[in-house]
Amino acid sequence: MLKGKKIVLGVTGGIAVYKAVDLVSKLRKEGAEVRVVMTESAAKFVTPLTFKEISGNAVAVSMWAEAQEFNVEHIALADWADFMVVAPATANILAKAANGIADDLLSTVLLASKTPIILCPAMNCQMYDNPITQNNLKKLADYGFIIMQPGTGRLACGTSGKGRLPEPAEIIAFTKNFIAHKEGDLQGLKILVTAAGTREPIDPVRFVGNRSSGKMGYAVAQVASERGADVVLVSGPSSLIPPANVEVVNVETTREMMNAVLAKYDDMDIVIKAAAVADYCPHEVAEQKIKKATDDALKIVLDKNPDILKKLGELKTKQFLVGFAAETQNLLSNAAEKIKKKNLDMIVANDVTVAGAGFNCDTNVVKFLFPNGEVKSLEKMSKLEVAQALLNEVKAARNK
Ligand code: PMT
């Protein structure tokens, strides 16, 4: 997919610059031609020579000093590229791009470019969470920049949080998704996917939750987006990086998920509910951390949460509604009952006791059930393959 693509890689000055070297190497292995534009501060972390050797092209750093080396106007880099990637993108370059500041080569190329630009923010988590940075990211998204969410985990500064530059393989997968999106067979369809588990707070530090990682739902969102659909991903807390070209709505509780889904529902053609939704929430949420009880047991009263999917089934007009069923026994009868009770067009049943199926693994073993009683059993396969098969079924069923 990247073969023959011309990519300008912008590299800014963060500790993650070392990953950009590997990114260039991997992009070239995929057949892409890469030209690197570095900021002066990026050049303090890794020398331009390194990028020159790895990319096989001259590296541009300064607006003035190296102009003649290229036999190409610096600004022409913006026209040469099929698309641009900035990785790592510091808070500084995001702020410049969001506000039209062009005071060095990279910011000038970004402002001059008419090609799609993928930004991969990477920075200290407090800088990332700062409302100024968040505002800039929102502005950039509104201007049409494609933002790859940073990863969560331990950062170079010693703290933990959101702000890690994704691995080069993840950036490449994101980039491929972005390219595929323009050519897929699900163009024009609006698909809402829910993923991961909802969490119900007990007190400021504890919650009632489940083992869902989000892998199944994110795989569906990724494949749907790669096949050209306009995808909204409503996700409970997850450490996964959302796929490209997907609108992400982050939620925590079941009620938040319900509100987010209902807000988009009327507009959707297809809804796929892979999330593991907490059926109950604590009757009361303690304002302060609950101290260890002096007697043996701590009793928490749980109230029933709304059933989002059932509500969607009741409100259904044009939407094709797909549920998931996570079962530990009576897989087929329980799943079939959910189709009826929730007015679904299809359900994906997984027995979560089977090895390689269900929660937090990369594979799944599923059966597709339909309202007419038809059952299709799939072998164990990757969650991405399940997502492909699922979307094929949805497409076929909608065309009947
Ligand atoms: O995220 P992973 O680690 O990859 O794991 C994948 C998975 C096991 C979570 C996924 O494959 C799966 O089975 N998701 C559905 C889990 C679930 O909540 O099943 P359920 O049988 O309890 O619910 C049936 C359906 O109703 C689901 O589509 C669920 O999203 C929905 N539901 C459930 C309860 C509720 N209050 N509201 C709902 O909308």
Side-chain angles (χ1 to χ4, degrees), residues 82-97:
D82 292 316
F83 60 92
M84 289 187 64
V85 178
V86 183
T90 56
N92 188 45
I93 195 75
L94 298 179
K96 286 189 197 178

Side-chain angles (χ1 to χ4, degrees), residues 190 265-270 315-320 398:
K190 293 185 175 157
Y265 191 45
D266 285 351
D267 209 24
M268 292 296 137
D269 300 302
I270 299 164
L315 297 173
K316 186 162 79 172
T317 51
K318 57 171 183 171
Q319 298 86 354
F320 191 94
R398 284 183 84 248

Side-chain angles (χ1 to χ4, degrees), residues 194-197 210-217 254 273-279 305-310 322-327 338 342 347-348 350 352 358-361 364 383:
T194 67
N210 61 64
R211 297 177 193 280
S212 173
S213 61
K215 285 183 180 176
M216 189 65 249
T254 296
K273 284 219 73 244
V277 181
D279 285 310
N305 262 334
D307 187 323
I308 307 169
L309 193 49
K310 188 159 177 285
V322 183
F324 269 70
E327 305 293 345
K338 283 175 187 168
K342 305 192 187 203
I347 199 158
V348 182
N350 42 192
V352 293
F359 294 105
N360 201 21
C361 50
N364 208 350
K383 284 182 173 167

Side-chain angles (χ1 to χ4, degrees), residues 86-334:
V86 183
T90 56
N92 188 45
I93 195 75
L94 298 179
K96 286 189 197 178
N99 292 288
I101 295 171
D103 64 351
D104 65 1
L105 181 58
L106 179 58
S107 52
T108 306
V109 174
L110 289 176
L111 194 62
S113 174
K114 284 190 185 151
T115 59
I117 302 173
I118 299 173
L119 299 171
C120 305
M123 65 200 75
N124 160 276
C125 53
Q126 281 159 13
M127 289 171 85
Y128 181 76
D129 288 338
N130 191 307
I132 301 173
T133 305
Q134 288 304 313
N135 241 334
N136 286 334
L137 283 167
K138 194 176 168 312
K139 255 192 190 175
L140 289 163
D142 290 344
Y143 286 134
F145 287 79
I146 301 117
I147 317 278
M148 182 175 188
Q149 305 253 339
T152 302
R154 205 176 147 67
L155 304 172
C157 53
T159 52
S160 253
K162 195 165 181 178
R164 191 177 56 77
L165 183 69
E167 295 306 313
E170 292 172 318
I171 297 176
I172 287 180
F174 187 92
T175 306
K176 283 182 177 171
N177 181 311
F178 160 76
I179 295 167
H181 179 72
K182 295 183 176 304
E183 293 154 13
D185 63 330
L186 302 179
Q187 297 277 342
L189 286 178
K190 293 185 175 157
I191 304 184
L192 186 146
V193 182
T194 67
T198 56
R199 289 178 179 177
E200 302 296 342
I202 297 170
D203 67 15
V205 298
R206 305 180 180 93
F207 58 84
V208 178
N210 61 64
R211 297 177 193 280
S212 173
S213 61
K215 285 183 180 176
M216 189 65 249
Y218 277 57
V220 175
Q222 177 180 331
V223 172
S225 164
E226 280 171 3
R227 288 173 61 167
D230 292 331
V231 180
V232 178
L233 174 63
V234 178
S235 176
S238 168
S239 60
L240 300 177
I241 292 165
N245 296 300
V246 164
E247 180 187 341
V248 184
V249 183
N250 289 306
V251 296
E252 185 155 336
T253 65
T254 296
R255 279 181 193 278
E256 283 172 14
M257 181 170 276
M258 182 175 76
N259 292 338
V261 172
L262 287 177
K264 303 274 181 188
Y265 191 45
D266 285 351
D267 209 24
M268 292 296 137
D269 300 302
I270 299 164
V271 174
I272 302 173
K273 284 219 73 244
V277 181
D279 285 310
Y280 293 91
C281 60
H283 181 67
E284 273 176 57
V285 181
E287 267 179 35
Q288 303 300 332
K289 183 180 167 189
I290 298 172
K291 291 288 169 204
K292 212 177 276 174
T294 43
D295 45 357
D296 286 340
L298 170 69
K299 294 197 178 83
I300 297 171
V301 178
L302 298 175
D303 290 339
K304 200 152 189 218
N305 262 334
D307 187 323
I308 307 169
L309 193 49
K310 188 159 177 285
K311 204 167 184 60
L312 298 183
E314 287 159 9
L315 297 173
K316 186 162 79 172
T317 51
K318 57 171 183 171
Q319 298 86 354
F320 191 94
L321 204 51
V322 183
F324 269 70
E327 305 293 345
T328 55
Q329 57 182 351
N330 305 327
L331 180 69
L332 288 178
S333 56
N334 284 343

